[in-house]
Amino acid sequence: MNFRAIAAALAATVAIPFAAANATDLEVTHWWTSGGEAAAVAELAKAFDATGNKWVDGAIAGSGGTARPIMVSRITGGDPMGATQFNHGRQAEELVEAGLMRDLTDVATKGNWKEVIRPASLLESCTIDGKIYCAPVNIHSWQWLWLSNGAFEKAGVAVPKNWDEFVAAAPALEKAGIVPLAVGGQPWQTSGAFDVLMLSLAGKDVFLKVFGDKDAEVAAGPEIAKVFKAADDARRMAKGTNVQDWNQATNMVITGKAGGQIMGDWAQGEFQVAGQVAGKDYSCLPGLGVNEVIATGGDAFYFPVLEDGEKSKAQDALAETLVDPKTQVAFNLKKGSLPVRGDVDLDAANDCMKKGLDILAKGNVVQWTDQLLSPDSQKQKEDLFSEFFANASMTPEDAQKRFADIIAAAD
């Protein structure tokens, strides 16, 4: 899509004031609709409303893959919201280059964002040509295996400490009528699970050669062949999942219908809403218990250009509020993610969040695929792994060849 051409065509209409709204009402679009996510969003809304403005919730049901095209269409179509969620990385790059997003550099300078936001790569993902265009709100890491302690007790096997033990326990789980691995049917879930397997089993250097350097030779090589073997194991273990949404798969772990799930730390919000306790009712293995490295991806809010002066002021207030220390603590404790500020105290963090904080403090971090690949390359990867997990006749070798071709053409 040529955003620059659209921007020129819509120059007069890109920022239509909301006639029916008060000057300080601000519509905020996002895709956080599960129980844990809704609880976290409520903290953002409460903090923003306390500034004298009003958060008008624009939740879009479904995943980011469902919501982002709607958000982009509204912005390019002359019906922009006040603020919108995207993941850290390149998802809003063309919108920024087309002049459709606000420059937040003054707000960031006032708030000393460069000094307090850690790691620095979070703000770098918001920066284009030296200007800052988004407010990071959390660090979400994909690299976790969530385990139902009750499921393993029912199956008569110990709770696994790593991926290999988890695979070895699968037959006992199946014998007890439990799905070993819950994987929802949406493409981003299967693609994300593969990415976690690659980082955890092949290691950080290989991961960055493939997704950072776009090294197709490595992608076609023996290290990645081992990852595809693990993906084949995951595909077989997930065969009986039969749900679509990620939180439905998480609920299978919460209720003991599944042994585990590869999913980001946002799953913690669901365990929390269900009243489950980390270390007692469920366990968490960062890096699948093999390689304790987490990605510093996550979520940020971008602010479309608006002509209404009062709404622009409200945008500034929201950007400041999102990064405020108190908001960071309240939101991330509910969301299950880590704060973007390095100067906040999270005494109330549970065992799993403390593991993530410890890994972050040690600097065992990596940029995630949202930051390393263009949206188009990401979509090709998602399509591949959606097909791989759904079609047992696709061999790991055939899938790896297609994967290497995607990496060879990736941008």
Side-chain angles (χ1 to χ4, degrees), residues 220-242:
E223 296 98 333
I224 303 305
K226 295 176 184 177
V227 178
F228 271 92
K229 168 60 172 65
D232 189 35
D233 290 336
R235 172 172 64 176
R236 187 169 57 254
M237 294 163 66
K239 187 171 59 175
T241 301
N242 296 326

Side-chain angles (χ1 to χ4, degrees), residues 139-324:
I139 300 170
H140 261 321
S141 50
W142 240 106
Q143 303 72 36
W144 298 81
L145 177 59
W146 305 94
L147 301 169
S148 166
N149 291 357
F152 288 95
E153 182 179 353
K154 180 180 178 181
V157 292
V159 176
K161 295 182 175 60
N162 56 52
W163 175 256
D164 287 341
E165 291 184 7
F166 180 54
V167 175
L173 291 168
E174 290 173 335
K175 187 176 180 180
I178 298 167
V179 175
L181 179 66
V183 179
Q186 296 159 331
W188 67 270
Q189 296 182 59
T190 49
S191 178
F194 176 83
D195 295 344
V196 173
L197 287 166
M198 184 192 295
L199 179 61
S200 302
L201 304 181
K204 182 177 178 179
D205 290 345
V206 171
F207 180 88
L208 290 176
K209 283 181 181 177
V210 173
F211 291 127
D213 298 339
K214 318 298 189 292
D215 192 325
E217 185 175 344
V218 174
E223 296 98 333
I224 303 305
K226 295 176 184 177
V227 178
F228 271 92
K229 168 60 172 65
D232 189 35
D233 290 336
R235 172 172 64 176
R236 187 169 57 254
M237 294 163 66
K239 187 171 59 175
T241 301
N242 296 326
V243 298
Q244 282 291 109
D245 295 336
W246 70 268
N247 53 307
Q248 292 175 315
T250 304
N251 188 62
M252 291 179 67
V253 180
I254 291 171
T255 58
K257 295 177 181 177
Q261 178 190 25
I262 297 174
M263 187 49 61
D265 54 9
W266 49 89
Q268 285 195 87
E270 302 305 298
F271 286 102
Q272 185 168 308
V273 168
Q276 296 211 334
V277 178
K280 177 186 175 184
D281 302 304
Y282 67 98
S283 299
C284 54
L285 299 180
L288 308 185
V290 178
N291 191 352
E292 290 194 350
V293 178
I294 63 173
T296 53
D299 302 289
F301 279 87
Y302 287 77
F303 298 80
V305 173
L306 302 177
E307 291 180 351
D308 187 309
E310 291 302 312
K311 290 188 182 298
S312 294
K313 290 178 183 178
Q315 288 179 319
D316 290 348
L318 177 56
E320 292 174 358
T321 300
L322 294 172
V323 183
D324 179 81

Side-chain angles (χ1 to χ4, degrees), residues 27-34 38 41 55-62 67 70-71 74 85:
E27 182 192 12
V28 185
T29 56
H30 58 87
W31 56 83
W32 290 326
T33 56
S34 75
V41 170
W55 175 291
V56 179
D57 200 67
I60 300 173
I70 297 171
M71 296 165 174
R74 282 192 54 184
Q85 173 195 7

